[in-house]
Amino acid sequence: KNSGPARARNIGAKEARGDFLFFVDSDVLLEKNIILEIEKILKNKIKAIQGVYTRRSKHEGICNRFKDIYYNYYFDRNKGNFTKTLSTHCFIIKKDLFLKKEGFNENIKNASIEDAEFGNKIRDEKIFLGREVKVTHLKNYNIKSLLKTDFKMAKNKIKSILRGRYKSHMINISNKKEDTLSMILEIFIVSLIP
């Protein structure tokens, strides 16, 4: 029975033997020096590291290029060394901290917002932004898949906010008028796709 990525990750975390857990999504390619970069950061007694996407796309097309640049910007816009947001596309955390915070929300059955909700659980910890801890996103988008993916993410973000589990800034939603208008326009466009 498929119980979703949150449950699978939680089971894996409990069974893991090391001091740190290294989460990566199935649609990413690790950069060749990633382990060395992680080791350098962990020498500074860091408990959690958020990796980033590269700007390089594995696929041609404007949709792929847009998404790769957006994902890179999502974390790179943070000017400091630490972040309050979290994504499991590339994330390292001390095992005892992960278990103490009770892992991912297993009620979320698909890969969408479970990582952001967990990020809220550890918001008081310092999550180091590993700008040199890079992965390349392998998903191949076209306009339809891009809009459907973004719509699904927006819908799940809104549900999580309505559940009151955490503040909206933890999942990259702002109060700016242009961001709200952009989300409304995207929802409208996706509703037109059969």
Side-chain angles (χ1 to χ4, degrees):
K1 179 183 173 190
N2 184 350
S3 299
R7 180 156 172 71
R9 290 178 183 139
N10 288 344
I11 291 170
K14 288 174 188 166
E15 297 297 322
R17 293 188 215 140
D19 293 332
F20 284 88
L21 305 171
F22 185 6
F23 295 100
V24 291
D25 284 348
S26 62
D27 62 354
V28 300
L29 180 65
L30 305 179
E31 293 289 290
K32 61 182 174 183
N33 64 340
I34 195 167
I35 300 301
L36 295 174
E37 295 297 335
I38 292 168
E39 286 176 341
K40 280 189 225 174
I41 295 167
L42 291 179
K43 287 180 183 176
N44 295 313
K45 308 255 188 260
I46 298 293
K47 294 181 184 177
I49 304 169
Q50 175 61 64
V52 298
Y53 284 111
T54 63
R55 289 182 185 249
R56 287 187 321 274
S57 181
K58 281 296 196 189
H59 303 285
E60 296 294 321
I62 193 164
C63 293
N64 292 308
R65 188 76 182 124
F66 164 77
K67 204 62 172 173
D68 290 337
I69 290 170
Y70 172 78
Y71 279 139
N72 188 271
Y73 167 77
Y74 180 81
F75 288 104
D76 205 37
R77 69 189 171 158
N78 187 341
K79 302 300 179 207
N81 291 328
F82 297 92
T83 183
K84 295 267 185 202
T85 58
L86 172 68
S87 173
T88 53
H89 70 270
C90 181
F91 177 64
I92 300 93
I93 186 167
K94 217 163 163 36
K95 180 180 176 180
D96 60 352
L97 174 59
F98 182 83
L99 296 177
K100 177 182 165 189
K101 298 294 183 173
E102 300 177 349
F104 297 106
N105 180 350
E106 295 182 14
N107 293 318
I108 299 172
K109 299 298 182 196
N110 58 8
S112 64
I113 201 77
E114 77 288 351
D115 47 3
E117 280 198 7
F118 181 75
N120 185 58
K121 288 182 184 181
I122 63 170
R123 69 182 173 269
D124 295 332
E125 303 293 332
K126 290 192 171 188
I127 303 171
F128 186 83
L129 183 55
R131 288 187 172 87
E132 298 305 317
V133 177
K134 296 180 181 180
V135 297
T136 300
H137 199 209
L138 300 177
K139 187 164 182 177
N140 190 7
Y141 289 100
N142 59 40
I143 190 68
K144 185 176 179 178
S145 64
L146 175 74
L147 291 173
K148 281 191 172 190
T149 298
D150 285 356
F151 178 75
K152 181 181 95 171
M153 292 298 291
K155 182 176 84 173
N156 287 324
K157 287 176 183 181
I158 290 166
K159 283 182 182 178
S160 291
I161 291 170
L162 292 175
R163 282 196 299 266
R165 300 193 84 159
Y166 57 92
K167 298 175 185 171
S168 63
H169 75 274
M170 303 304 291
I171 55 171
N172 194 31
I173 292 178
S174 75
N175 294 324
K176 293 180 183 174
K177 285 182 184 175
E178 58 269 20
D179 290 344
T180 303
L181 290 173
S182 174
M183 189 162 55
I184 290 169
L185 178 61
E186 194 167 294
I187 290 169
F188 172 74
I189 290 169
V190 169
S191 70
L192 299 176
I193 297 173

